């Protein structure tokens, strides 16, 4: 049965091909084809995962080779895929949450005349993401990696009639190419050192490599991960990407694409275990990003951008956990899965709010929507309770474990993660208060209403998963399940009882909730965003995303623009000037030399006579001398 795992990719890829080539006659049912393709991959994934569960621990990795992709001298790459404990979890997440998003999109994109094309791009994205996580070779993984980049470009810029959407798509594409360069160089280094880019072979060979090679490889892979997962310093594309349709935000920026970097680090566990420098770099990137994302989330009034800042922060938690090594790999994946549930739930919930508010994204124009949209409110609340770590909800188990492990590794790293938990509770409570509570602030021509069932059913399913996702930790199941892939997790001593650490984390979150309630729940909220001049420097910095765009503009965009202008000038005045200058001088010389060529015989006779006379005079002068 595992020999059929390639169908996981082929089915949605075929769906995309059909939808893109069938023509307008498929507009009426194209969304059904796209949804069924994703659902079929999910069903197959469940069957394969169930079979994996029934196998002994040492027989849960199955690699299937379809054909030889590259065979050039020593360079040999098979088009092969591996279904194991790690990729199996990702398959269920990608296809399961992806299918719910497909169903939701049937209602959300109902009136879009290009809906068939939208579902084709969704299918293409699912196929590319599955290629990425199932790949048994880093080069095959890079194929899926670039496919995800292409699909995200098409989806973010789907409404390209808006200049902002077209610009956001280009920005995401360009910034990700910077990260992709790191991954490409890492693959080249693998081949140069080990003669192969197969994942298993690299992981087996890396312990024998020098420390400098392991560090270089780890840092290059981290650069690739930063691009896809929107981690500092390559985070600037994520908030702009909210210009795409909301289902895109749920699929790409909650459950799949932004988690690809975390997957890359965990799949390359042996590389990072071989270099303490690379692991520390992952910790630093994750810690900085989780705090920066939380800061941004506190200041955005656009509901989707507030959630995007939250996504940055939560992916930062995952990267932090991955940087903690074997003690944190399983918890990074655990939080990745629970985050996929509750963040997809909240992004789709935000889309439901926008659907009922005439596509208005400003939370200052909301208020009191819990009564007008009860299902959206209830399901969103489940996601909210999960992300702040309310006891019993999925985030309580996954994020708390990361914070506990961080404290076991380093006190200050743990403190940073704990502060992030408090700030998370603050900005998410702010979002809830501004959207669903308080006085109504919407305009007179807006009539909030609940979304159709085709949109609310996926919300209910994701809300339930937001509540129940923590069951994966029951009996340490997910830790033991992933141990053959990521290694044995050595538990660090905290120095205090685990229950006391749980109380501290929960109390920190409660403090964040309380402060936010006092700030936004007990005070009236302005209907319009205050100007930058009337807010604190901290709020202003958060609104401008800590001036990341300005920094990129100063360090990369403007210097590159000036360099391009210089090269154009040099090409025109230097290169072209040299070529055309020589040609012009030769032309001038030929024009001068042709002047004596008059065509008259008498002129030529006179010139011959004059020449002979000059020769005679010269001979006479020599003789007399």
């Amino acid at each position: 049965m595992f020999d059929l795992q390639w169908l996981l990719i082929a089915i949605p890829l075929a769906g995309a091909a059909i939808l893109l080539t069938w023509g307008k006659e498929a507009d009426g049912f194209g969304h059904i084809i796209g949804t069924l393709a994703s659902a079929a991959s999910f069903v197959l994934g469940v069957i394969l995962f169930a079979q994996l569960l029934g196998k002994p621990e040492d027989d849960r990795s199955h690699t299937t080779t379809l054909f030889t992709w590259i065979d050039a001298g020593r360079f040999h790459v098979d088009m092969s895929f591996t279904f194991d404990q790690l990729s199996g979890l990702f398959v269920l997440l990608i296809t399961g949450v992806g299918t719910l998003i497909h169903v939701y999109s049937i209602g959300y994109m109902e009136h879009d005349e290009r809906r068939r094309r939208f579902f084709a791009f969704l299918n293409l994205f699912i196929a590319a993401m599955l290629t990425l996580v199932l790949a048994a070779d880093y080069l095959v993984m890079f194929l899926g990696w670039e496919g995800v980049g292409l699909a995200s470009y098409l989806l973010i810029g789907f409404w390209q009639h808006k200049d902002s959407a077209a610009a956001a798509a280009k920005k995401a594409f360009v910034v990700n190419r910077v990260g992709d360069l790191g991954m490409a160089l890492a693959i080249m280094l693998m081949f140069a050192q080990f003669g192969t880019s197969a994942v298993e072979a690299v992981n087996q060979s890396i312990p024998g490599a020098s420390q400098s090679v392991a560090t270089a490889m780890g840092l290059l892979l981290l650069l690739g991960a930063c691009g896809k997962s929107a981690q500092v310093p390559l985070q600037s594309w994520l908030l702009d990407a909210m210009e795409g349709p909301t289902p895109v935000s749920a699929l790409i920026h909650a459950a799949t694409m932004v988690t690809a970097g975390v997957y890359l680090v965990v799949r390359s566990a042996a590389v990072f275990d071989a270099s303490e420098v690379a692991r520390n770099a992952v910790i630093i990137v994750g810690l900085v990003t989780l705090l920066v994302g939380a800061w941004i989330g506190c200041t955005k009034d656009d509901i989707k951008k507030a959630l995007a800042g939250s996504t940055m922060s939560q992916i930062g938690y995952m990267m932090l956990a991955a940087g903690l090594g074997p003690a944190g790999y399983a918890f990074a994946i655990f939080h990745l899965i629970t985050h996929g549930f509750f963040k997809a739930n909240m992004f789709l919930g935000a889309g439901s709010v926008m659907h009922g508010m005439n596509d208005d994204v400003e939370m200052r124009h909301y208020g009191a929507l819990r009564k007008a949209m009860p299902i959206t409110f209830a399901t969103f609340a489940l996601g909210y309770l999960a992300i702040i770590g309310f006891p019993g909800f999925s985030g309580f188990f996954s994020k708390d474990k990361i914070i506990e492990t961080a404290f076991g590794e380093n006190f200050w790293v743990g403190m940073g993660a704990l502060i992030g938990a408090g700030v998370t509770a603050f900005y998410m409570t702010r979002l809830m208060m501004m959207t669903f509570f308080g006085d109504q602030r919407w305009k007179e021509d807006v009539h909030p209403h609940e979304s159709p069932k085709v949109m609310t059913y996926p919300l209910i399913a994701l809300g339930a998963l937001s509540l129940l996702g923590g069951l994966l930790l029951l009996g340490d199941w997910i830790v033991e399940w992933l141990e053959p892939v990521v290694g044995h997790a050595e538990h660090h001593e905290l120095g205090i009882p685990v229950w006391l650490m749980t109380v501290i984390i929960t109390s920190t979150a409660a403090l964040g909730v309380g402060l936010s309630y006092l700030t936004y729940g007990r005070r009236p909220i302005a209907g319009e965003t205050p100007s930058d001049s009337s807010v604190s420097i901290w709020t202003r910095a958060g609104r401008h995303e800590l001036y990341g765009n300005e920094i990129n503009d100063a360090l990369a965009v403007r210097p590159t623009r000036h360099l391009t202008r210089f090269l154009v000038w040099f090409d025109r005045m230097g290169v072209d000037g040299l070529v055309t200058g020589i040609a012009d001088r030769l032309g001038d010389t030929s024009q001068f030399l042709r002047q004596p060529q008059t065509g008259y015989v008498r002129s030529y006779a006179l010139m011959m006579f004059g020449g002979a006379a000059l020769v005679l005079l010269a001979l006479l002068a020599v003789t007399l001398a």
Side-chain angles (χ1 to χ4, degrees), residues 385-386 388-401 502 506:
L385 293 172
I388 69 170
F390 191 84
F393 284 75
S394 59
F396 169 77
F397 298 99
S398 61
K399 189 163 61 176
D400 280 24
K401 280 298 181 182
T502 301
T506 304

Side-chain angles (χ1 to χ4, degrees), residues 27 54 107 120 123 178 332 389 505 533 551:
D27 286 349
N123 273 193
V178 177
I505 297 171
S533 60
I551 293 172

